[in-house]
Amino acid sequence: NVARVPRQSGSAIKPLTYLAAMERGMTAGTLVMDVAQEFPDGANPPYRPKNYDDKEYGPISVRTALACSRNIPAVATLQQIGLPALLEMARRLGIQSLNRPDYGLSLTLGGGEVTLLELTAAYAALANGGRRVTPRTILYIEDQEGRVILPRAKPEMPQVVDARRAYIITHILADDKARQPSFGTNNPMKLSFPAAAKTGTTNDYRDSWTEGYTPQLVTGVWVGNNDNKPMQQ
């Protein structure tokens, strides 16, 4: 059941990196550098992330970097704020599966494994103005006589992220003009109503994700092979 089995999320986790960065002073207009960079850790060869199209945009805003899913600025941003900031943000949004001790900067590109249910619930917090909702499969149970076996429960919705920052991330993910350099005009994510969306693809096309939401509905989609074989692009 891939909805509950951890898989690499690709770039679908990038909004959490920028959300953590905004708590530390970044804005949608902050300039970041989309140019080739090395990130040494002192023990291994320097990490050299590349963008999915092998191109570089130069100095761009956070809005463009996230909307166009640029890899290099995301890695540089995570280096600036630190790995603990992203991990803490993920846990705050209900993601419990990121619990290994050996993550690196590739975590912002999907280097850690999460479940589809967890990540979709994290996006639900953005759709709910920063209020986390715990997924609930069974709403209530009645028997054939109408007697309540399991009552309805009002879900707890703790405010885990500032509503203003959730709004900014949502505005970026719904900004069709901002994502046009990567996705083109009239792309499949342009709908007849405002909708935020983020894609993610892992190495060798083993996992492909789309997370999207409107004010009424949050949807997470995973495409791939259950035996972890690569897809044909």
Side-chain angles (χ1 to χ4, degrees):
N1 181 356
V2 181
R4 300 178 63 186
V5 174
R7 307 282 298 208
Q8 289 194 347
S9 63
S11 295
I13 203 165
K14 282 177 185 172
L16 278 62
T17 298
Y18 287 108
L19 189 56
M22 287 178 181
E23 291 188 340
R24 289 155 178 80
M26 274 195 175
T27 71
T30 299
L31 281 182
V32 290
M33 297 301 294
D34 185 16
V35 296
Q37 302 178 53
E38 292 186 349
F39 300 91
D41 64 6
N44 302 301
Y47 179 39
R48 300 181 179 90
K50 293 184 177 181
N51 294 312
Y52 67 91
D53 56 3
D54 286 326
K55 298 178 182 179
E56 297 158 13
Y57 287 3
I60 56 176
S61 67
V62 164
R63 176 178 293 274
T64 299
L66 177 55
C68 293
S69 198
R70 310 305 289 168
N71 289 343
I72 299 173
V75 173
T77 298
L78 182 55
Q79 184 192 49
Q80 181 177 337
I81 65 174
L83 274 165
L86 174 54
L87 290 169
E88 189 275 333
M89 176 60 69
R91 294 189 186 101
R92 212 191 310 166
L93 293 174
I95 296 175
Q96 301 297 325
S97 51
L98 290 176
N99 48 29
R100 291 196 348 243
D102 58 345
Y103 295 118
L105 293 177
S106 64
L107 183 61
T108 189
L109 306 183
E113 296 184 338
V114 300
T115 72
L116 177 62
L117 188 60
E118 283 181 328
L119 190 59
T120 304
Y123 275 79
L126 297 176
N128 279 303
R131 297 186 303 274
R132 188 182 69 224
V133 179
T134 301
R136 180 181 171 94
T137 304
I138 299 173
L139 300 181
Y140 66 97
I141 300 175
E142 294 179 352
D143 66 11
Q144 65 266 33
E145 304 296 333
R147 291 175 296 207
V148 175
I149 307 300
L150 179 69
R152 293 178 183 268
K154 185 177 181 180
E156 294 183 5
M157 297 178 63
Q159 190 81 40
V160 295
V161 174
D162 190 306
R164 296 167 296 182
R165 297 190 179 100
Y167 172 83
I168 292 171
I169 294 292
T170 297
H171 196 272
I172 294 172
L173 295 180
D175 189 342
D176 190 62
K177 185 176 180 180
R179 62 189 172 213
Q180 283 180 6
S182 287
F183 295 98
T185 58
N186 298 317
N187 60 74
M189 292 183 288
K190 184 179 181 181
L191 305 177
S192 59
F193 47 83
K198 184 73 190 76
T199 61
T201 305
T202 59
N203 291 340
D204 301 324
Y205 297 91
R206 295 180 189 274
D207 305 89
S208 185
W209 303 63
T210 300
E211 297 281 352
Y213 56 95
T214 69
Q216 290 79 29
L217 182 68
V218 181
T219 303
V221 179
W222 171 89
V223 176
N225 295 309
N226 289 56
D227 60 4
N228 206 35
K229 289 181 180 178
M231 296 177 285
Q232 296 179 359
Q233 299 188 9

